[in-house]
Amino acid sequence: YKFSWSPMGVLTASQNSATFLRDGSVVSIDGPELLNNADPIYSFPTMNLECLANRDSLIYRELYGIEDADSVFRGTLRFAGFSDLMYGVKTLGLLDDAPCAGGTWGEVLDALLAEHGASSMRDFCEKKGIRAGGGKLEHLFGWLEMLDRSKGLEVADPSSIVKSLCALLETRLTLEDGERDMVLMAHDIVGEFPGGKEEVWSSTMQLYGDERFTAMGKTVGVTAAIGAEMVLDGWIKEKGVLTPMTKNIYEKGLELLEQEGLVFQESCTVVEKK
């Protein structure tokens, strides 16, 4: 996993509470336990992925006009194992906006282990029931050079553990020459019809960055810029906060995207079940 957008956004998004609808029942997950509730997802058969619930999914019933739907879920995709590993990082205290107990990462990690009454990463994971295991945490921190006492890697911001971690991740997990990012999206829409017929519409998108734009830039940066262009050109005359769910806005936006040579192709399949 490398960053083509804000590392702080990645870390904070993994701590948000989430609410969704499953088989007619509202399910809520508290932020501290979000990473402990990832499920495998099979929308991309060639990839080993997992899915985390993403904030409030209930608002989409009204936005999409599906108030009678009995299941509404929005999630975030990650490679399998991400959530277990990050749950260990969070439980240790590395996502806390608290002062660093030391000037080097070695000192910070020793202090955090001591707070949990643990003598090692393996001991910590056993005490806290961290599924990723101490070996994986040690490998992560070793790769980030946080465990190398001889180097004495200093924290970037002594006033904040999480800000220091973000600064470290920005230096180690930035795209290098010849590398590209990838954006994945998957939609599954299940329709039930009189007589018991059921259809499942599945739409997926797999978009890569290139020499001109990152995939994140194509889907977020360029689209925001096109929205600004539409306002400046007087094409959008409505006032206030607008969503791209208005048909005339998204159709014009797609037209401008195509003029920029950006076409997002989705693969859609329909399965009919009796």
Side-chain angles (χ1 to χ4, degrees):
Y1 191 99
K2 289 199 169 185
F3 296 110
S4 56
W5 65 297
S6 165
M8 184 64 79
V10 174
L11 298 182
T12 55
S14 64
Q15 301 181 82
N16 293 321
S17 298
T19 306
F20 57 92
L21 192 66
R22 176 189 288 160
D23 298 327
S25 298
V26 175
V27 179
S28 297
I29 303 174
D30 291 333
E33 288 302 310
L34 181 67
L35 288 165
N36 214 18
N37 284 274
D39 292 316
I41 187 169
Y42 306 105
S43 299
F44 297 87
T46 60
M47 294 187 183
N48 189 12
L49 301 173
E50 62 189 24
C51 184
L52 288 164
N54 189 343
R55 299 202 182 191
D56 184 7
S57 298
L58 303 184
I59 61 173
Y60 293 98
R61 287 185 296 180
E62 181 178 351
L63 287 172
Y64 288 130
I66 51 173
E67 289 86 350
D68 58 343
D70 59 8
S71 294
V72 181
F73 177 88
R74 181 179 77 153
T76 298
L77 301 178
R78 293 286 182 264
F79 287 118
F82 174 91
S83 299
D84 283 348
L85 190 62
M86 288 305 299
Y87 185 72
V89 171
K90 181 195 75 69
T91 304
L92 184 60
L94 286 171
L95 302 188
D96 295 345
D97 192 16
C100 299
T104 68
W105 277 114
E107 294 169 342
V108 171
L109 292 176
D110 287 343
L112 291 175
L113 287 174
E115 286 182 15
H116 293 285
S119 58
S120 66
M121 288 297 167
R122 296 176 187 274
D123 184 32
F124 161 73
C125 288
E126 290 176 2
K127 288 179 181 291
K128 298 296 180 178
I130 305 299
R131 290 193 294 260
K136 287 189 177 180
L137 281 180
E138 286 180 346
H139 179 76
L140 169 65
F141 299 144
W143 184 80
L144 292 171
E145 299 183 346
M146 298 166 73
L147 299 177
D148 192 340
R149 267 51 172 193
S150 63
K151 286 192 174 183
L153 186 63
E154 295 184 355
V155 297
D157 185 348
S159 69
S160 173
I161 298 175
V162 68
K163 289 178 182 176
S164 294
L165 179 62
C166 280
L168 178 60
L169 294 178
E170 283 179 353
T171 62
R172 295 304 309 272
L173 296 176
T174 299
L175 292 172
E176 298 178 4
D177 291 342
E179 295 182 336
R180 58 181 180 170
D181 65 338
M182 176 181 67
V183 168
L184 300 176
M185 290 191 72
H187 294 86
D188 290 313
I189 303 169
V190 181
E192 296 176 348
F193 300 88
K197 189 181 81 166
E198 181 180 283
E199 286 186 357
V200 181
W201 293 66
S202 297
S203 177
T204 59
M205 181 180 76
Q206 184 174 3
L207 182 71
Y208 289 100
D210 54 34
E211 296 82 3
R212 189 180 176 201
F213 295 114
T214 62
M216 186 62 68
K218 292 178 182 180
T219 53
V220 179
V222 174
T223 48
I226 283 176
E229 181 181 352
M230 291 165 70
V231 172
L232 292 171
D233 288 347
W235 202 90
I236 296 178
K237 302 186 185 311
E238 297 90 338
K239 305 298 182 183
V241 178
L242 307 174
T243 69
M245 296 176 65
T246 305
K247 188 174 182 179
N248 67 322
I249 293 179
Y250 67 69
E251 285 187 340
K252 181 64 175 179
L254 287 172
E255 177 186 324
L256 293 173
L257 276 173
E258 290 177 356
Q259 290 177 13
E260 290 291 327
L262 297 174
V263 179
F264 303 152
Q265 294 183 338
E266 292 193 59
S267 172
C268 187
T269 59
V270 182
V271 178
E272 181 177 318
K273 298 182 178 179
K274 300 294 185 180

